[in-house]
Amino acid sequence: MRGLSVHQAPPFQIIALYFSTACVFWFLSSLLELFLFFKRELNLPLPVHSHVVGFALMTMLGALFQMLPVVAGAVMPEPLKKAIPIHLALLLSSLLFLGGFLLKNETLLLFGATLLMLSIISAPYRLPLSILYIIYALTTVYLLLKSKRRVLEYTPKFWLLGMGLLLLASIFFALGEFLAFLVSFVLFFSSIILGMMQRIVPFLVWFHLSGFGLKDAPLMFEIIPPRRQAITFYSFLTLCLSIPFTLISTDFLIVSIILHLFTALVLLFNVLGGIGIYLKYVRQGL
Amino acid sequence: MFSITEYLTHEHRECDELYARVEELLKKGQWEDAKRAFEEFKAETLKHFQREEDVLFPEFEGRTGIVMGPTQVMRMEHAQARELIERMERALEEKKEKEFFAIGDTFMILIQQHNLKEEQILYPMCDQHLDPSEIVQKMENL
């Protein structure tokens, strides 16, 4: 109940801070891929971990601050005072963790790899877990296709693509193809995050501005227009499609990296653009 | 007899279906039918808000003494929803289909998260603190 109190609603600054950092991380990791590619030192663990730690974990923690009061009714007193140190700690640990990979620090590398392997690869559970994922993905696809609503924005498309990737990941998981599983799984949650982030930011910008009493506050479509969501969707889709080609020749890696870089840049532009609209109205005193 | 949660959650679903009907008619280009369906959706939604604001919220506030808490947030979100309903109505009158769907999209997200908070948190609290059959009857009489 306390989670609904007007004084305890999480401030927009929290989500803005976490999401913009996640976008910057995603963009920087694409630059890092490019750098390592040209140094001929690109290997899978680093991009995977930069996705998981820098992009996914940062987004999820930010979303958690927003969602906890709604879903669990749990309230964090003085959320900014907690969100900022956690953000800094996560940022620092992510940088140290990824630095360990980059500098080939064996202790950190072993720790990360063991943790990852333990958490997702456990042979006796492989088949039932794959079946559960497949059921979840197929049910979600069914519900998405069943929806009668005419939706102009791209979140459902990101979810459909994400579920397709999850299905692929589950199949690779069942077959014990660890590398292929890892890549499809990373792409799966990236797709969901891309859709979710470009939905949450415009909604919260409208919600807060309208809540401040701004008449005719800009709508979600005016904050991140569907055509700009479309650019992230199609460039991300092309990125996914480009990856199998890297198996034919590693020369194709550069194509995937550039597509990642481009998608990350557009995402960063969209999210920062949304935050910018919020700040513009707030600075003008609404 | 219904609990407060059951009664008002059922109304949420009814409003959702009425709104989906408007979008469906607009998709087929049936503007006049869509306007009539919108009137029905608007009337039901505003009636639902009134049941909460005139009966449920004051009863909850009176019993628990929490005045500036969840009910205040819900009233604020009702005001935001009312503004969007007015904007949707204007778009319908002016036959601006794209604008209607754009406003409707924001409206749907607002209302879904609003309903989630009410159904998961506020209504169960009301069932706990108030006499459900008495409150449902009062809301029904409006």
Side-chain angles (χ1 to χ4, degrees):
Chain A
M1 182 188 70
R2 292 175 62 223
L4 295 180
S5 163
V6 73
H7 304 296
Q8 288 153 341
F12 181 66
Q13 285 87 331
I14 294 178
I15 214 107
L17 181 70
Y18 277 79
F19 280 14
S20 52
T21 312
C23 291
V24 170
F25 238 112
W26 210 49
F27 169 62
L28 289 180
S29 68
S30 69
L31 283 184
L32 190 65
E33 287 164 19
L34 196 65
F35 171 71
L36 292 174
F37 175 80
F38 284 119
K39 272 188 81 184
R40 307 230 167 254
E41 284 179 15
L42 184 64
N43 55 13
L44 197 63
L46 187 67
V48 165
H49 283 83
S50 68
H51 271 77
V52 173
V53 179
F55 185 52
L57 200 59
M58 190 66 82
T59 308
M60 290 310 169
L61 268 176
L64 208 61
F65 273 100
Q66 189 67 36
M67 289 303 290
L68 265 182
V70 178
V71 178
V75 170
M76 205 173 272
E78 301 187 279
L80 260 179
K81 281 191 183 169
K82 296 199 172 56
I84 292 172
I86 292 174
H87 173 266
L88 286 176
L90 182 64
L91 184 64
L92 190 69
S93 58
S94 304
L95 289 171
L96 286 173
F97 188 58
L98 296 173
F101 270 95
L102 196 61
L103 303 170
K104 297 186 175 69
N105 180 316
E106 276 186 18
T107 318
L108 281 179
L109 193 74
L110 197 66
F111 175 72
T114 313
L115 206 65
L116 193 71
M117 295 290 273
L118 277 178
S119 59
I120 51 180
I121 292 290
S122 177
Y125 302 112
R126 217 159 61 195
L127 194 60
L129 203 58
S130 301
I131 293 169
L132 276 180
Y133 274 132
I134 289 170
I135 292 170
Y136 167 74
L138 289 176
T139 312
T140 311
V141 168
Y142 170 73
L143 290 173
L144 283 167
L145 295 178
K146 205 182 81 169
S147 169
K148 283 183 192 161
R149 287 201 64 227
R150 174 183 165 168
V151 185
L152 301 171
E153 51 87 32
Y154 279 75
T155 317
K157 291 187 182 72
F158 276 113
W159 272 82
L160 275 174
L161 176 60
M163 289 305 118
L165 290 161
L166 180 61
L167 278 173
L168 260 182
S170 310
I171 293 165
F172 288 134
F173 190 58
L175 297 174
E177 295 285 344
F178 181 62
L179 202 70
F181 155 73
L182 210 56
V183 172
S184 342
F185 200 79
V186 164
L187 290 171
F188 143 67
F189 68 67
S190 299
S191 185
I192 303 300
I193 288 175
L194 280 166
M196 190 190 79
M197 214 183 242
Q198 295 183 94
R199 193 84 170 140
I200 292 178
V201 169
F203 175 70
L204 288 179
V205 171
W206 171 83
F207 184 75
H208 284 276
L209 291 178
S210 161
F212 291 148
L214 179 70
K215 190 87 180 139
D216 289 337
L219 295 165
M220 290 168 70
F221 278 18
E222 292 159 324
I223 295 159
I224 301 183
R227 65 175 184 282
R228 274 187 5 221
Q229 279 187 353
I231 301 174
T232 50
F233 177 75
Y234 288 111
S235 60
F236 182 72
L237 177 66
T238 321
L239 162 64
C240 296
L241 294 173
S242 73
I243 287 176
F245 289 97
T246 60
L247 298 174
I248 303 169
S249 162
T250 48
D251 289 341
F252 279 103
L253 267 173
I254 188 69
V255 178
S256 304
I257 293 169
I258 287 171
L259 284 164
H260 178 194
L261 180 86
F262 179 72
T263 315
L265 258 179
V266 183
L267 177 73
L268 188 65
F269 178 75
N270 284 351
V271 169
L272 291 185
I275 296 169
I277 290 175
Y278 170 83
L279 293 174
K280 189 186 88 181
Y281 279 101
V282 170
R283 279 201 201 104
Q284 285 171 356
L286 301 165
Chain B
M1 197 63 194
F2 290 119
S3 67
I4 295 169
T5 306
E6 285 167 338
Y7 180 78
L8 291 173
T9 301
H10 179 69
E11 282 202 343
H12 284 167
R13 299 290 99 77
E14 275 184 342
C15 292
D16 284 348
E17 277 169 32
L18 288 171
Y19 179 75
R21 175 88 184 124
V22 180
E23 284 198 343
E24 215 177 311
L25 289 166
L26 273 183
K27 250 193 296 187
K28 292 178 190 161
Q30 298 174 3
W31 283 88
E32 291 311 311
D33 291 339
K35 275 184 198 172
R36 274 190 291 276
F38 185 83
E39 280 312 309
E40 205 183 330
F41 152 76
K42 181 184 165 185
E44 276 302 310
T45 306
L46 297 184
K47 189 82 191 166
H48 172 78
F49 289 170
Q50 192 195 355
R51 285 191 172 115
E52 292 181 335
E53 291 175 3
D54 291 359
V55 178
L56 185 70
F57 296 171
E59 293 273 0
F60 177 81
E61 289 162 350
R63 179 66 57 90
T64 61
I66 304 167
V67 183
M68 288 305 289
T71 46
Q72 194 56 24
V73 179
M74 295 300 107
R75 281 193 188 93
M76 192 189 85
E77 291 186 1
H78 286 175
Q80 289 176 301
R82 281 192 183 96
E83 196 214 329
L84 290 176
I85 290 174
E86 275 173 32
R87 287 174 75 173
M88 279 195 279
E89 197 169 29
R90 279 205 301 272
L92 260 183
E93 286 300 324
E94 293 163 14
K95 290 199 172 182
K96 290 180 177 167
E97 188 185 352
K98 232 179 164 180
E99 195 174 316
F100 177 88
F101 280 108
I103 306 164
D105 190 58
T106 303
F107 175 80
M108 279 313 282
I109 299 280
L110 169 72
I111 223 67
Q112 294 308 327
Q113 61 89 37
H114 174 83
N115 290 353
L116 184 75
K117 287 190 279 197
E118 287 188 335
E119 290 165 18
Q120 301 296 320
I121 304 167
L122 185 61
Y123 296 162
M125 291 301 295
C126 290
D127 274 320
Q128 218 174 9
H129 289 280
L130 305 170
D131 176 358
S133 55
E134 183 199 330
I135 300 296
V136 168
Q137 194 55 53
K138 279 186 185 174
M139 290 195 286
E140 190 71 19
N141 291 343
L142 267 187

